[in-house]
Amino acid sequence: FHPDPVITSVFPRSLPSFSNENQHISLDSFQGDVATSSVDIYGNHFHDSSMNCVFDISLPSEGVKSLSRRHGINRQTAIFYNSTFIRCPKPPTLELFFSNTDLSWSTNGTLIADAMLNISLEAGADWHLVGTIPYHAVGETTSVFPR
């Protein structure tokens, strides 16, 4: 028997709408790393026996009538550090809903408004809600002055 996990904090507080970590396209304005490689969870009663991070991603935007998908679930094995800290690797981005060749959607704050990532911990048949993290539009630099 394991006591239920108690969550005290989650980092980061928001996630970028897309990650250029594995992009095979070249866009000058998107150079650099905007990836978030993990979600860190702090609390009590974490245990090192096959805990999974369950990412439940949703994009409720009504402005995206062409989307056939607005919801997805992804699981990753939690990385156990100790009873008060675990890491959930590879949180999903909104890329699964959009084109990966035209990234203009990723800077459109209105389009991705209300997009959320619900995170739960799964241990066997038990699920424990960690919390909800919003997505944010990625900033785009169009010019720098003076040079």
Side-chain angles (χ1 to χ4, degrees):
F1 170 78
H2 294 285
D4 290 345
V6 175
I7 310 304
T8 57
S9 65
V10 177
F11 181 82
R13 299 225 184 259
S14 70
L15 293 167
S17 59
F18 93 106
S19 162
N20 65 350
E21 186 174 57
N22 297 312
Q23 291 294 324
H24 299 291
I25 58 176
S26 175
L27 294 173
D28 291 338
S29 60
F30 290 108
Q31 288 181 353
D33 184 19
V34 295
T36 298
S37 60
S38 66
V39 174
D40 295 342
I41 303 172
Y42 300 89
N44 294 299
H45 308 301
F46 300 135
H47 54 87
D48 188 16
S49 64
S50 59
M51 290 186 87
N52 289 314
C53 302
V54 180
F55 298 116
D56 183 352
I57 182 175
S58 63
L59 179 69
S61 175
E62 289 300 317
V64 191
K65 302 285 188 202
S66 62
L67 291 180
S68 60
R69 239 182 118 179
R70 291 193 181 133
H71 180 77
I73 294 181
N74 179 297
R75 282 181 175 76
Q76 297 288 337
T77 301
I79 300 168
F80 176 83
Y81 287 89
N82 58 49
S83 65
T84 63
F85 173 55
I86 61 172
R87 179 168 282 161
C88 291
K90 302 178 184 175
T93 66
L94 298 177
E95 290 170 279
L96 68 110
F97 299 115
F98 295 100
S99 166
N100 63 358
T101 56
D102 176 10
L103 297 177
S104 61
W105 61 266
S106 67
T107 61
N108 185 333
T110 302
L111 185 64
I112 63 170
D114 301 322
M116 294 287 176
L117 179 66
N118 291 316
I119 304 173
S120 298
L121 292 177
E122 178 184 56
D126 295 331
W127 279 45
H128 307 281
L129 179 65
V130 171
T132 301
I133 299 176
Y135 286 92
H136 60 264
V138 176
E140 180 181 9
T141 303
T142 55
S143 65
V144 177
F145 183 81
R147 291 185 180 210

